[in-house]
Amino acid sequence: MAAIREIKVDVAVVGSGPGGQKAAIQAAKLGQQVFLVERELELGGASLNSGTIPSKSLREAILDLTDFRERSFYGKDHPVPAVSIDALNHRLAQVLAAERAVVMRQLRKNGVHWLHGVASFTDPHTLEVTDGEGQLVARIWAKQIILATGSRPRHPAGITFDGQVVVDSTQLLRIGRVPRSLIVIGAGVIGSEYASFFAALGVPVTVVDQRDHMLPHLDSEVGTHLQGALSQMGLRFIGNRRWLTVARVGDMARVEVDDGANPDTHETLEADVVLCAVGREAQVDGLAIERAGLELTPRGYIPVNELFQTAVSHIFAVGDLIGHPTLASTSMEQGRLAARHALHALARPFPEVYPQGIYTIPEISFCGATEEELRDRGVHYEVGRAYYYEIARGQIEGADVGMFKLLFHAETLEILGVHIIGRAATEVVHIGQVAMTFHARLDFFVETIFNYPTYAEGYRIAALNGFNKIPAR
Ligand SMILES: Cc1cc2nc3c(=O)[nH]c(=O)nc-3n(C[C@H](O)[C@H](O)[C@H](O)COP(=O)(O)OP(=O)(O)OC[C@H]3O[C@@H](n4cnc5c(N)ncnc54)[C@H](O)[C@@H]3O)c2cc1C
């Protein structure tokens, strides 16, 4: 039996996703000795191995290999080129290998040590690390501990996931074939993104959700736009329905759903594959948090204060483990901030204004309030819009589906919300984000020269449209 390593460090980090990586690197940059523990053989967490990077790589591969961006010039009836799973996987493998190399290089460059194994507390300062067989390989004593163990797909009771026909979002990446047809249960971000990718690929896709439209947290006008674009791609959305049974029957997936209007009537759907995307849950099993004196919130997350500090003052937690907003982008910053707080380095609070990107086809991004939120709060607001067909860049690139929507205070003109659907939305949203961070007013966009032709010019067109709606000043 190999000797058990006894390790004493300043900072131990559990989990190598975006939260753990940035926490470890920040702590190392502050001159601390840092040890990171990761359960999987590959570093990078869900973000790199089963979530953000694979899904976005798949999206780009589908857009390129199906000539999706060309289609608007040739009409809806232009046939979708057949794309093999090998072609998709070839590209995916290259991106993942390159990104993994970047993660390793960054950790190495900053002197972060890492260890493969499952970490669990034995007391508030000590973690035991076991290997795949459950054998103890190391014991780590750390002054400060940062937990970043992320999340995994929720598996509702009553559904048997077989990894081939009935799958979650992690398993979907490994089915080794392009499904001939797909049912997606759950029209949240992950379900909607994958549904749109496969619809773009020409796969018949049906999305089922108990709510009446997809992505209900969106500004509803943007949501309507999305749904229109998806149904033009042939995607079928069945809202106000609950799944009753999900099962593999022979080689097919069979899903029974109730009828929202008539609960006694059931509809049976069949497809090659069913993706269950009904939320994610924090990954705490194996950590033995009770031995550290920690408890979970009723929803299963680790509670933290605004410094990302848990109820035990030297233990911090970040990323999906602490719940909303559960994004790679925010987890990274939480990790960096947690390390700074743990080490008493100067740190600003977590930003109030940050964007969310949803990589459906078409993509969506927003920051700030929705129109519904402003209405509920009784804010005196106005709206400026620019449609992609009005933006020269959109015409040039065949991106005629999309909209910029700027929400601003009708008296002060301060920008209160930026919502974009359409090509490059997740990039150009940052202009609005910066403007909002500095409390910019609508006239900033009217008086600013943008490169022409660009998508960013949409800000100016939307601002001019908004300006026309307020009394002359
Ligand atoms: C399909 C999909 C698409 C997504 N797309 C986006 C997107 O476009 N943009 C975006 O910002 N976010 C996206 N996300 C969300 C993003 O991936 C997560 O928010 C992010 O990965 C969370 O980072 P994290 O550091 O908290 O944890 P994770 O990335 O989940 O990493 C946690 C790590 O901890 C390890 N671990 C767990 N327990 C232990 C233990 N006891 N001991 C040792 N190691 C342990 C795990 O093996 C894992 O590697 C997506 C997620 C999914 C599933």
Side-chain angles (χ1 to χ4, degrees), residues 14-20 37-40 45-47 51-52 55-56 117-119 148-151 190 194 280 283 287 319-320 326-329 331 359:
V14 187
S16 70
V37 187
E38 170 54 57
R39 189 174 61 182
E40 300 295 330
S47 174
T52 316
S55 62
K56 267 78 259 185
V118 179
T149 55
S151 65
I190 293 172
Y194 276 124
R280 296 179 64 85
Q283 233 164 194
L287 263 182
D320 284 12
T326 59
L327 292 167
S329 55
S331 302
Y359 292 79

Side-chain angles (χ1 to χ4, degrees), residues 337-452:
L337 288 175
R340 294 190 71 81
H341 289 305
L343 300 168
H344 307 290
L346 192 65
R348 288 181 191 279
F350 189 78
E352 270 176 37
V353 176
Y354 59 87
Q356 268 192 58
I358 301 173
Y359 292 79
T360 40
I361 301 172
E363 71 193 61
I364 296 168
S365 197
F366 57 92
C367 65
T370 62
E371 186 166 357
E372 291 70 37
E373 283 163 358
L374 294 180
R375 200 179 301 141
D376 290 350
R377 281 195 250 141
V379 176
H380 187 194
Y381 69 91
E382 216 7 297
V383 188
R385 294 183 185 81
Y387 295 97
Y388 268 45
Y389 64 78
E390 302 173 278
I391 302 171
R393 181 80 193 200
Q395 294 292 357
I396 293 167
E397 295 197 351
D400 49 359
V401 174
M403 175 184 67
F404 276 69
K405 178 173 180 180
L406 301 184
L407 295 160
F408 59 97
H409 197 284
E411 283 130 39
T412 67
L413 304 192
E414 183 173 341
I415 312 281
L416 304 173
V418 173
H419 301 266
I420 309 170
I421 175 167
R423 201 171 298 172
T426 54
E427 295 289 349
V428 289
V429 74
H430 299 113
I431 298 170
Q433 175 196 3
V434 172
M436 285 184 65
T437 304
F438 290 100
H439 301 283
R441 295 157 24 120
L442 192 73
D443 30 346
F444 168 75
F445 289 125
V446 174
E447 289 156 10
T448 297
I449 309 275
F450 286 84
N451 275 332
Y452 179 82

Side-chain angles (χ1 to χ4, degrees), residues 244-261:
L244 300 169
T245 57
V246 176
R248 177 178 180 154
V249 179
D251 284 342
M252 297 294 282
R254 184 173 296 164
V255 177
E256 220 188 333
V257 293
D258 70 4
D259 179 336

Side-chain angles (χ1 to χ4, degrees), residues 79-130:
V80 180
V83 176
S84 71
I85 193 71
D86 289 345
L88 294 172
N89 282 341
H90 174 72
R91 188 155 154 170
L92 193 59
Q94 288 195 33
V95 176
L96 298 193
E99 279 292 303
R100 285 179 185 136
V102 171
V103 171
M104 294 241 257
R105 197 162 56 234
Q106 286 179 345
L107 293 177
R108 240 183 233 129
K109 201 173 84 187
N110 286 286
V112 175
H113 301 274
W114 68 88
L115 187 65
H116 172 225
V118 179
S120 58
F121 283 101
T122 53
D123 66 54
H125 278 284
T126 313
L127 293 163
E128 276 186 353
V129 181
T130 50

Side-chain angles (χ1 to χ4, degrees), residues 7-60:
I7 299 163
K8 197 167 175 203
V9 283
D10 300 313
V11 179
V13 177
V14 187
S16 70
Q21 279 166 48
K22 301 305 170 196
I25 290 172
Q26 175 63 91
K29 282 192 187 298
L30 289 168
Q32 305 295 297
Q33 211 196 355
V34 185
F35 228 95
L36 184 145
V37 187
E38 170 54 57
R39 189 174 61 182
E40 300 295 330
L41 274 172
E42 299 288 2
L43 297 175
S47 174
L48 178 45
N49 298 301
S50 58
T52 316
I53 304 291
S55 62
K56 267 78 259 185
S57 305
L58 199 60
R59 179 185 193 272
E60 284 306 306

